[in-house]
Amino acid sequence: MKLGIVGLPNVGKSTLFNSLTKAGAESANYPFCTIDPNIGIVPVPDERLKLLADFSHSKKVTPATVEFVDIAGLVKGASKGEGLGNQFLANIRECDAIVHVVRCFEDSNVIHVDGSVDPARDIETIELELIFADIEVLERRIAKTARSAKSGADKNAKKEYEILLQLKKHLEDGKKAISFETGSEDGDKFKASLDLLTDKPVIFAANVSDADLADDGESNEYVQAVREIAKENNSGVFVISAQIEQEIAELDDDEKQEFLADLGIEKSGLEKLIAASYRILGLMSFLTTGEDETRAWTIPIGCKAPKAAGKIHTDFERGFIKAEVINYQELLESGSYAAAREKGKIRIEGKEYVVQDGDVILFRFNV
């Protein structure tokens, strides 16, 4: 999973990136501090892995990972070359979703690029710049496709040309690509191939002061504004304090839990963000475990057994015979694989089996 982090300058983007990835991206109280895109890869917290690794006495534990890409703050006019963020929009075109950091705190010591805190205005500024950037992509693609559409050399070019024109009009009306319907499966695949920024799901990170964390921003009017916008756009949203996350990042696991408990918080920002990402992208994890390795594998919800097997290796999918499946909790409660078999807890599933979150699977294949 790859997530691109966007937002205005000085909203806490790089502070959040630092805390999530511990990558040490520069962070300071002035615009355009982030010059080059920062990239960090983070393991997905999953307590099931440790339990299974202890169960199997695994030599190695491999969690699922998330790649974060943090680009320079975007400002009004970014798509026309204002600021620095436009130079790096290409770095987030291949991301699965966009994390939009929105400032929801007052602090006279932290400069706001527009002079005041206003989440609705800030969100609109960023979204318009992403729309403008997508229109530029479409204009180049339209110019290229027009020749093929007129010549008739490529039978798909005419359909693609029509979709491009309709999509450009949709964006020019201030709407995002994600809400544009092509009306066909082939059209949807073509739209997806364009890698448009506004065709990606969005998760809003409402960045608050530590005082607003305990009630999850319920008493913060700025957070409520962000939640309304998220609801209207079918986007994800979670409340975070980038400053607190930075402090948490310096602690070990035991200290972290104690610190969160003192603040009256159950989950860290990273855990909230990953949960929101999995939800909005429709993802889940199945597990494999043994003496050599315990590992989490991220797949789409609704994925059938052969496709899940292919996540491990293409040969597993090509030569799929069957899957031996047990829920991780049932496996742990059984005490051993042998005991689980005796109790009839391990199921034999075929090609039509839809994998469930938390399944521990052993694939049988032959190529």
Side-chain angles (χ1 to χ4, degrees):
M1 184 164 61
K2 189 173 181 180
L3 304 175
I5 303 177
V6 302
L8 292 170
N10 287 358
V11 297
K13 261 183 345 80
S14 293
T15 303
L16 178 60
F17 175 84
N18 286 346
S19 58
L20 295 179
T21 64
K22 300 181 186 175
E26 188 180 1
S27 174
N29 179 24
Y30 55 91
F32 313 125
C33 176
T34 306
I35 304 301
D36 296 317
N38 295 302
I39 297 172
I41 297 174
V42 181
V44 173
D46 190 339
E47 60 185 13
R48 300 173 299 188
L49 290 176
K50 185 180 186 310
L51 295 171
L52 285 171
D54 290 345
F55 171 88
S56 299
H57 307 291
S58 303
K59 295 171 190 166
K60 183 180 176 187
V61 177
T62 307
T65 58
V66 178
E67 183 175 329
F68 290 103
V69 182
D70 172 35
I71 66 167
L74 298 170
V75 293
K76 198 173 289 185
S79 57
K80 301 298 179 188
E82 293 293 325
L84 296 169
N86 68 303
Q87 298 173 32
F88 307 111
L89 285 172
N91 292 90
I92 58 173
R93 287 202 177 276
E94 293 178 8
C95 289
D96 300 303
I98 288 175
V99 180
H100 184 164
V101 183
V102 185
R103 179 169 167 174
C104 294
F105 64 90
E106 296 277 5
D107 187 341
S108 58
N109 295 317
V110 180
I111 302 160
H112 189 292
V113 72
D114 285 327
S116 63
V117 179
D118 184 340
R121 178 202 61 209
D122 294 353
I123 288 170
E124 183 180 32
T125 296
I126 297 296
E127 291 190 341
L128 282 174
E129 292 310 318
L130 298 183
I131 285 172
F132 292 147
D134 280 348
I135 288 172
E136 283 189 22
V137 168
L138 290 177
E139 284 173 344
R140 290 195 294 271
R141 190 65 181 261
I142 286 167
K144 183 180 175 184
T145 310
R147 293 190 291 272
S148 303
K150 286 175 184 174
S151 70
D154 182 348
K155 61 180 181 179
N156 293 318
K158 190 175 180 183
K159 286 180 184 176
E160 290 176 357
Y161 183 67
E162 287 170 3
I163 289 171
L164 289 168
L165 291 177
Q166 291 166 9
L167 184 49
K168 180 170 177 277
K169 172 70 169 59
H170 185 81
L171 292 175
E172 287 171 341
D173 289 341
K175 299 170 188 172
K176 294 189 283 189
I178 199 166
S179 63
F180 178 77
E181 296 180 4
T182 66
S184 72
E185 192 176 330
D186 287 342
D188 289 344
K189 285 180 182 175
F190 173 65
K191 185 180 80 151
S193 74
L194 298 171
D195 278 333
L196 297 176
L197 295 167
T198 63
D199 199 27
K200 301 180 188 303
V202 173
I203 303 156
F204 292 109
N207 188 14
V208 301
S209 65
D210 56 354
D212 288 325
L213 264 185
D215 72 347
D216 203 33
E218 285 298 323
S219 55
N220 183 314
E221 61 178 314
Y222 299 137
V223 173
Q224 298 314 313
V226 175
R227 283 184 170 136
E228 282 300 313
I229 292 167
K231 189 177 177 182
E232 289 166 12
N233 292 276
N234 294 320
S235 299
V237 62
F238 71 103
V239 176
I240 195 168
S241 169
Q243 202 60 50
I244 291 293
E245 288 301 311
Q246 195 166 42
E247 292 179 38
I248 291 172
E250 306 302 321
L251 305 174
D252 62 33
D253 287 343
D254 290 339
E255 289 175 322
K256 187 183 295 182
Q257 290 310 314
E258 190 177 330
F259 184 71
L260 291 173
D262 288 344
L263 289 170
I265 307 164
E266 290 183 11
K267 293 183 177 179
S268 69
L270 177 61
E271 290 170 307
K272 286 183 185 177
L273 172 52
I274 287 172
S277 305
Y278 270 61
R279 271 197 307 274
I280 204 163
L281 292 170
L283 300 175
M284 64 177 196
S285 296
F286 75 90
L287 311 157
T288 54
T289 188
E291 284 189 16
D292 288 334
E293 182 183 45
T294 289
R295 183 163 182 166
W297 304 86
T298 302
I299 56 171
I301 292 170
C303 184
K304 291 185 178 179
K307 190 62 85 174
K311 185 79 177 175
I312 299 174
H313 198 287
T314 51
D315 284 352
F316 283 32
E317 181 176 3
R318 193 157 50 92
F320 179 89
I321 300 172
K322 63 183 179 181
E324 296 182 13
V325 183
I326 182 171
N327 176 269
Y328 85 99
Q329 195 71 54
E330 289 185 317
L331 179 59
L332 294 172
E333 288 168 359
S334 298
S336 69
Y337 259 111
R341 287 184 198 283
E342 282 178 24
K343 294 174 183 176
K345 296 288 187 182
I346 297 179
R347 309 184 310 276
I348 304 301
E349 302 286 1
K351 292 182 177 180
E352 294 305 307
Y353 176 67
V354 176
V355 177
Q356 302 299 305
D357 186 55
D359 277 351
V360 177
I361 306 180
L362 177 64
F363 292 105
R364 301 294 184 190
F365 71 102
N366 183 37
V367 289

